[in-house]
Amino acid sequence: MITAVVYSESGGTYKTTMTANVAVALKRMGQNILVLDLDPQEGNLTSLFDVGERRGDPEADNLVKHILDMPDGDFRDLIETTAEGVDIIPSHDMLSDFTSNLEQKISYETGMQNMSREEYPRYELLYELLWNKQELHEEYDAVLIDPNARAEDLLYNAIFALRTLVAPVKPAGKGNLSLEGLEELVGNMESQLDIEIGLSCVVPSGVGQTNAHQQYQQQFEDTEAFATPVTIGNRESLMDAMWEARGSAFKVIEERWKTFEKDGKMVSEPGQRRVRDREIETLQKLYELAWFIATDTFDADVDPVLELEIQDHEKKIINLREADTTEVTTA
Amino acid sequence: MSNFKSGSGNLDFGGSDGTDEEDEAPAETTETQAEEEKPKSKPAEQAPPTAPTQGTTEESEAGSPTEEYPYFVRRNNVGDERDTRLEIHVRDKVADQEAEFRNAVANQLGVNEISKTDAREFALLAAFHHPERVAELMRNEGFGALG
């Protein structure tokens, strides 16, 4: 069972695009995958995949109601499936009031059960829902969470439930292996909750060609403290196009989504993007990242071959077991 | 400088979930779950409700769960005490029989369904108790025929 919270201290879009790309990569490796979007902000995974039509409707059943054990419907009705076959529980506005809702719930429960507030297992609710009530491990091979950025109840619930972190980091000046905040968070949680939290890997992302960036990347790759299986270069155009394609970078390349100027307006269309080696290479890195998480961290048995069915173009096959990309023409 | 544990955290389901090209295999069992709002009376839920404690219930701390209660009574969830992960590779025709098998066992027990993990562990145990039947099945498929 693969479980990972994609955590980044600085928030921003790397976390969301990376979650989407790793999720789709795992799906393409033959894994049944569920993603939970716990980020209530705009520009989250839910908007990327164009799901969660009722995220703004306070009446709608949503994940928070289920976490707090006050559901308005069947848990499985929360799950939507994206065009690329990834199951997702979309975000909902109620997530931004998670803590106040939780406090109310605790007041009520502790009043009823004659227990103190301290005794209430406030960080264990999501764990309880996913594994004990819904037994999702019976159904899925992998569960990923795109969490809210702020370190508070909801994030603790996410980490308590999944126990393993993947940390995208972006270049932040020289000499700053900026994981102190994460270390502190993990250390506190482990000692308070008596659990073991693992760090699968750190993924330097958005790394450009400047000297500072290159040095920064080197520092991360040289450290013994954690694994850095891949570095994702600065691929703004590719990642931006994901929002137009409503899907992963794999989809952008295969359907050839491109944003360009037409009749004085910016438009986005499929079938327009040039097939570039460096972008194919980025897909390979994303696939390698998913591969690392699946095999190295979780010992899962997954398909190492990625077949890219690029529109009006020869098929590209990436086999991680061979490590070099071979091109095959479509039959 | 780092106090990170490298790799995965301690989430154990006593994994029964080997990846076996199961894009469609589990779907049949899960869809039926989704359709019927099931008032589950799984064995797990006959366990006495324990007050939630700080920390996890899933770690079998040394010497904790007393053996005086049977497994399904003392456990809280399907992963409890199942610390060993076995991965098996099977032919499609075998994998395809699993849903039916689980339904049959559930019928015997008078419940709606039993979990894959439970079904598999006890299927293995049943085989351990009857090696002669296992041998017979193997002979039926030509084991030793060329010997």
Side-chain angles (χ1 to χ4, degrees):
Chain A
M1 183 79 203
I2 299 165
T3 56
V5 176
V6 181
Y7 177 77
S8 105
E9 276 168 62
S10 45
T13 56
Y14 290 126
K15 171 172 72 87
T16 297
T17 50
M18 182 169 298
T19 309
N21 288 327
V22 169
V24 170
L26 288 170
K27 177 73 200 169
R28 294 177 82 143
M29 289 174 176
Q31 302 292 289
N32 239 336
I33 170 144
L34 176 70
V35 183
L36 276 60
D37 187 1
L38 296 186
D39 188 348
Q41 296 181 14
E42 286 304 311
N44 56 11
L45 202 62
T46 298
S47 34
L48 177 69
F49 280 130
D50 202 17
V51 293
E53 205 178 316
R54 301 185 67 194
R55 62 188 277 192
D57 176 358
E59 297 300 306
D61 192 26
N62 67 75
L63 186 61
V64 176
K65 292 180 179 176
H66 285 261
I67 296 175
L68 299 178
D69 204 17
M70 300 183 289
D72 272 341
D74 188 336
F75 178 83
R76 277 168 178 69
D77 291 342
L78 299 176
I79 301 174
E80 297 183 47
T81 305
T82 73
E84 293 172 276
V86 170
D87 280 1
I88 177 170
I89 297 184
S91 166
H92 188 279
D93 287 356
M94 212 171 161
L95 288 163
S96 42
D97 305 321
F98 181 76
T99 292
S100 56
N101 284 311
L102 174 63
E103 289 293 349
Q104 282 178 27
K105 161 93 176 166
I106 294 177
S107 299
Y108 173 79
E109 292 284 333
T110 50
M112 296 288 286
Q113 297 183 31
N114 190 17
M115 63 156 79
S116 75
R117 294 187 80 82
E118 288 65 48
E119 283 174 282
Y120 190 85
R122 65 188 300 150
Y123 303 130
E124 300 171 31
L125 306 179
L126 183 63
Y127 177 98
E128 183 65 26
L129 173 70
L130 300 184
W131 312 126
N132 294 351
K133 287 198 198 105
Q134 300 300 335
E135 298 192 327
L136 290 182
H137 51 289
E138 292 285 339
E139 211 165 316
Y140 289 101
D141 305 306
V143 175
L144 299 182
I145 290 183
D146 186 350
N148 57 320
R150 284 206 309 275
E152 52 188 25
D153 289 307
L154 194 53
L155 177 64
Y156 299 145
N157 265 276
I159 296 176
F160 188 90
L162 301 198
R163 307 282 165 95
T164 301
L165 301 167
V166 170
V169 291
K170 42 183 182 196
K174 227 169 67 175
N176 178 12
L177 297 182
S178 65
L179 292 175
E180 285 90 353
L182 180 62
E183 281 206 57
E184 199 178 329
L185 175 85
V186 167
N188 289 343
M189 279 192 75
E190 286 185 324
S191 56
Q192 267 189 26
L193 298 172
D194 191 25
I195 55 173
E196 207 172 67
I197 299 165
L199 176 63
S200 161
C201 57
V202 171
V203 190
S205 306
V207 177
Q209 296 302 313
T210 64
N211 275 341
H213 275 206
Q214 295 295 319
Q215 275 183 334
Y216 169 90
Q217 174 190 340
Q218 209 49 55
Q219 273 191 310
F220 266 100
E221 287 179 359
D222 291 347
T223 180
E224 292 291 308
F226 39 74
T228 47
V230 296
T231 299
I232 309 290
N234 198 357
R235 293 279 173 271
E236 253 172 74
S237 142
L238 176 60
M239 302 305 169
D240 284 351
M242 287 170 63
W243 298 90
E244 309 297 339
R246 295 294 183 189
S248 70
F250 299 94
K251 186 177 179 189
V252 169
I253 301 290
E254 288 184 322
E255 296 183 3
R256 306 183 66 171
W257 282 85
K258 184 175 156 101
T259 305
F260 57 98
E261 199 171 328
K262 187 166 144 185
D263 307 329
K265 281 203 301 267
M266 293 308 281
V267 295
S268 295
E269 289 176 7
Q272 301 282 353
R273 193 179 196 85
R274 276 187 34 217
V275 181
R276 291 192 179 87
D277 284 348
R278 60 188 177 86
E279 291 190 340
I280 301 284
E281 203 177 298
T282 300
L283 295 190
Q284 175 163 348
K285 288 208 163 151
L286 291 166
Y287 211 67
E288 278 171 23
L289 171 60
W291 171 262
F292 176 88
I293 296 167
T295 59
D296 201 276
T297 307
F298 288 99
D299 220 9
D301 185 12
V302 296
D303 182 2
V305 180
L306 170 66
E307 296 192 11
L308 291 171
E309 306 271 1
I310 303 170
Q311 187 187 321
D312 303 326
H313 192 278
E314 60 199 357
K315 193 194 244 187
K316 286 198 178 271
I317 297 185
I318 292 168
N319 184 341
L320 298 184
R321 288 237 166 90
E322 292 171 4
D324 65 334
T325 314
T326 41
E327 289 194 20
V328 181
T329 37
T330 31
Chain B
M1 75 154 228
S2 174
N3 58 14
F4 283 128
K5 173 187 177 291
S6 217
S8 61
N10 64 337
L11 200 60
D12 284 321
F13 302 109
S16 66
D17 43 11
T19 18
D20 35 28
E21 286 79 66
E22 54 188 6
D23 263 7
E24 69 297 315
E28 27 187 15
T29 47
T30 54
E31 265 159 35
T32 48
Q33 280 175 27
E35 277 159 24
E36 37 182 330
E37 252 288 45
K38 45 178 195 298
K40 289 188 297 194
S41 60
K42 293 203 315 287
E45 299 191 346
Q46 294 159 8
T50 46
T53 50
Q54 197 61 314
T56 63
T57 46
E58 53 151 8
E59 285 176 285
S60 42
E61 294 130 25
S64 75
T66 46
E67 297 277 323
E68 63 186 282
Y69 295 107
Y71 176 69
F72 284 105
V73 173
R74 70 175 182 260
R75 81 165 185 194
N76 284 319
N77 68 58
V78 78
D80 286 354
E81 300 175 43
R82 288 179 166 147
D83 299 329
T84 307
R85 178 194 168 101
L86 298 181
E87 211 169 271
I88 61 169
H89 295 270
V90 298
R91 290 164 294 165
D92 287 350
K93 72 165 200 181
V94 175
D96 291 345
Q97 296 174 56
E98 188 174 29
E100 199 184 326
F101 163 70
R102 279 171 62 193
N103 287 334
V105 177
N107 282 337
Q108 293 281 338
L109 294 168
V111 294
N112 266 340
E113 55 164 352
I114 53 167
S115 80
K116 211 192 280 185
T117 309
D118 288 336
R120 289 179 179 180
E121 186 183 60
F122 283 87
L124 205 52
L125 207 51
F128 292 168
H129 290 168
H130 297 285
E132 73 289 349
R133 293 197 201 169
V134 174
E136 186 190 356
L137 284 173
M138 288 171 72
R139 272 192 219 101
N140 291 348
E141 296 213 31
F143 186 92
L146 299 174

